[in-house]
Amino acid sequence: MRNTDFLWGASTSAFQVEGGFGEGNKGLATTDTRKVPEGMADTKIAADHYHHWKEDVELMAELGMKCYRMGFSWSRIMPDATMEINEEGLAFYDQLIDALIDKGIEPLVTLYHFECPQALVDAFGGWLDRRMIDAYVKYAKVCFEHFKGRIRYWVTVNEQLIATAAGDLNGNHETDPKQSLKNVYQMSYHVSVAEHMAFNLLRQIDPIAKIGPVCSIQVVYPLTSRNEDAMAAWQAEEIMEFSLLDMSVRGRYSPFVTHYLKAHGLFPSVREEDDEILRQTVPDFIGVNYYFSVCAKKHEGEINYHQPPFWINDLYDIVANPCLEKTEWMDMGVDPMGLRIGMEKIYNRYQLPMIVTENGMAVSEKLDEEGKIHDDYRISYLRAHIEQLEILEDEGIPVFGYCPWSFMDVVSSHQGFNKRYGLVFIDRTETDAKDCARVKKDSFYWYQGVIKNNGIGDH
């Protein structure tokens, strides 16, 4: 990359690495209380970052990371519905942030990454209720004030697509599928209002810092060249990605999405005063999570309510792409060019700087007889996607960082430790945490060279 300040980093989230269940007066989150299948790892220990953070920061420094995209656990900072501050929780993040800064690693902190405080779900239903907006802003204010001058990059919400769609993560346990879908759009609206209030709040508290949302970009190809399939693919992108980003950036839905939601009884309940909140601020950047693209065709038959909420509609069906190679955990296929296609569309629409906050390959892995992980497949995946970023730079599109998922193996939100993404192997099984020893994979050393060279180059 020509940009010598490019933020080469790696990502995790709080609930997927921290562990420390019940320690330091941490409260319960939805990620702690949801039902985990028997024989699958939960969040109680995860990667035990809570007890290994010093070692982990040393490994980050060894890797040469310029940026660590991490998350705060809201329920560690505010354990219950009183929203009173837990000083032990702040102290944990104080020591971690200070250690990162001491090593020259920029903290990029996500305020909300899937885990909703269970106390707020119990008190009023979480994001389904407007009271969640004020609760989120109060939490954000504590973080912005406490870490002013130390954290220069903030993320409001990670992947609103999943944060609002996964009922076990947000507390939406409505059994009627039509009402559940309506709930998703209502929660999404509340998230957007909260985001814009956070944009404004940060600029009052710490005007030097930057803030933005992280989206799960949905690159959708038509199954065929028929115009109805092309229209289905466009509509799928508008609903699954841009309905969310339009609200995060512009504070309004597009005419198509507005019409669709109203025609289907899905348009959220709003208040007149929200409009000024939504329109008066824009984010400083957009974070991009990308793993694979999807494919769509014109909808046929009855609506299938037994699929992800943003796939449920009478316009398009999400289908397998016959042109892409599939892997064990990536059943939609691997598509590096999709990253560039998606980011070009985002920039053309919003004209905001971007950073890749997640991009990675999931594989089931075990240490070999020599206690190592030879993950050439992950190296190939990362190389191919970084090459696409270098093309974006050549085109003049402002991408200021790349943080693959994930720095270390994490407990997957729904697949435990069977599904591994890390540059660092965590030596534990689903049922035996052992001592969670850290083992550098071949991809760790490869990525170390990429960072040192500021890009792929001849590496």
Side-chain angles (χ1 to χ4, degrees):
M1 309 295 283
R2 290 188 298 275
N3 177 9
T4 55
D5 295 322
F6 191 80
L7 293 178
W8 295 102
S11 294
T12 66
S13 80
F15 82 93
Q16 292 176 279
V17 296
E18 275 185 15
F21 178 80
E23 297 187 58
N25 289 322
K26 180 188 181 298
L28 292 174
T30 50
T31 47
D32 299 316
T33 60
R34 67 193 177 98
K35 293 183 179 179
V36 175
E38 185 177 353
M40 183 177 291
D42 58 23
T43 60
K44 290 183 175 62
I45 298 175
D48 203 24
H49 177 63
Y50 190 77
H51 299 106
H52 288 257
W53 67 268
K54 291 182 180 178
E55 177 186 358
D56 292 337
V57 172
E58 290 294 334
L59 283 169
M60 293 174 199
E62 180 183 347
L63 182 57
M65 284 168 52
K66 310 298 183 185
C67 173
Y68 177 38
R69 188 262 174 141
M70 54 172 284
F72 283 170
S73 169
W74 183 346
S75 58
R76 189 176 292 285
I77 293 173
M78 293 175 162
D80 55 45
T82 68
M83 298 289 288
E84 292 183 3
I85 299 171
N86 173 27
E87 296 296 343
E88 286 190 66
L90 283 178
F92 171 71
Y93 293 121
D94 274 332
Q95 60 187 3
L96 176 56
I97 295 299
D98 290 347
L100 291 168
I101 293 171
D102 185 59
K103 295 291 185 181
I105 301 170
E106 191 83 55
L108 169 57
V109 177
T110 304
L111 287 169
Y112 187 94
H113 193 133
F114 296 167
E115 54 177 319
C116 184
Q118 185 62 45
L120 301 186
V121 173
D122 295 339
F124 48 73
W127 285 110
L128 195 55
D129 192 287
R130 286 190 67 96
R131 283 172 285 185
M132 190 67 170
I133 299 172
D134 292 334
Y136 175 88
V137 173
K138 184 174 182 179
Y139 160 58
K141 184 174 186 289
V142 168
C143 294
F144 295 160
E145 289 179 342
H146 186 82
F147 294 97
K148 178 181 179 180
R150 288 186 287 167
I151 296 175
R152 299 194 301 166
Y153 294 96
W154 293 94
V155 167
T156 48
V157 174
N158 177 76
E159 290 189 4
Q160 194 188 136
L161 180 80
I162 304 299
T164 56
D168 61 338
L169 299 177
N170 59 48
N172 175 27
H173 299 300
E174 174 62 53
T175 56
D176 179 87
K178 295 181 180 179
Q179 183 60 47
S180 180
L181 186 60
K182 186 175 178 63
N183 289 352
V184 167
Y185 285 99
Q186 187 65 60
M187 288 188 292
S188 174
Y189 177 79
H190 290 158
V191 169
S192 297
V193 175
E195 280 188 316
H196 282 271
M197 292 179 73
F199 298 158
N200 186 51
L201 184 64
L202 180 65
R203 283 159 192 157
Q204 294 175 27
I205 295 171
D206 191 358
I208 301 301
K210 305 294 185 184
I211 190 167
V214 160
C215 69
S216 173
I217 63 172
Q218 303 296 300
V219 178
V220 187
Y221 303 125
L223 180 62
T224 73
S225 59
R226 295 184 303 172
N227 57 7
E228 55 262 45
D229 286 347
M231 176 61 79
W234 177 81
Q235 291 169 329
E237 283 190 353
E238 286 293 306
I239 291 175
M240 294 195 298
E241 176 180 350
F242 291 116
S243 68
L244 305 174
L245 265 182
D246 278 352
M247 286 295 289
S248 291
V249 178
R250 297 172 171 172
R252 64 186 183 274
Y253 297 117
S254 69
F256 161 70
V257 170
T258 298
H259 173 75
Y260 177 83
L261 294 180
K262 288 183 174 179
H264 290 76
L266 296 171
F267 197 83
S269 174
V270 306
R271 290 184 182 174
E272 186 176 348
E273 62 266 28
D274 292 343
D275 192 58
E276 183 178 357
I277 295 170
L278 290 166
R279 302 290 183 92
Q280 72 179 350
T281 56
V282 294
D284 297 300
F285 64 87
I286 296 172
V288 170
N289 291 355
Y290 176 81
Y291 296 90
F292 48 77
S293 57
V294 298
C295 190
K297 68 180 184 65
K298 180 184 177 182
H299 173 74
E300 295 177 344
E302 297 293 322
I303 295 176
N304 175 17
Y305 285 96
H306 302 290
Q307 57 181 339
F310 289 94
W311 292 14
I312 299 172
N313 68 93
D314 57 1
L315 300 176
Y316 56 84
D317 291 325
I318 301 300
V319 296
N321 187 336
C323 300
L324 297 179
E325 181 181 350
K326 300 170 179 58
T327 69
E328 174 191 13
W329 288 107
M330 305 177 82
D331 57 2
M332 289 293 182
V334 175
D335 177 25
M337 190 179 290
L339 175 63
R340 175 159 56 102
I341 292 170
M343 293 183 74
E344 285 179 336
K345 288 181 178 181
I346 289 174
Y347 186 71
N348 289 340
R349 189 160 182 149
Y350 304 113
Q351 301 287 298
L352 287 173
M354 294 174 289
I355 179 171
V356 176
T357 39
E358 290 183 29
N359 174 232
M361 184 175 192
V363 180
S364 297
E365 294 171 316
K366 294 182 179 179
L367 295 173
D368 65 13
E369 294 179 355
E370 297 179 342
K372 297 181 178 180
I373 298 286
H374 301 297
D375 54 342
D376 291 345
Y377 39 82
R378 183 169 290 108
I379 292 172
S380 295
Y381 179 96
L382 296 176
R383 179 195 300 275
H385 287 78
I386 293 172
E387 287 172 348
Q388 296 298 313
L389 292 183
E390 293 181 338
I391 296 173
L392 288 174
E393 185 185 55
D394 289 341
E395 293 176 347
I397 292 178
V399 182
F400 64 92
Y402 177 75
C403 297
W405 187 265
S406 50
F407 170 68
M408 67 185 88
D409 291 336
V410 304
V411 59
S412 176
S413 56
H414 292 92
Q415 290 87 19
F417 274 92
N418 286 316
K419 188 178 182 182
R420 293 175 180 262
Y421 287 93
L423 302 170
V424 176
F425 183 83
I426 302 299
D427 188 14
R428 61 158 295 168
T429 68
E430 295 293 334
T431 57
D432 183 2
K434 299 191 275 189
D435 60 357
C436 286
R438 275 66 171 142
V439 180
K440 291 169 279 189
K441 303 179 187 180
D442 285 0
S443 57
F444 178 98
Y445 296 104
W446 175 84
Y447 189 50
Q448 184 183 53
V450 170
I451 296 174
K452 183 178 181 180
N453 294 333
N454 197 32
I456 298 294
D458 297 327
H459 183 68

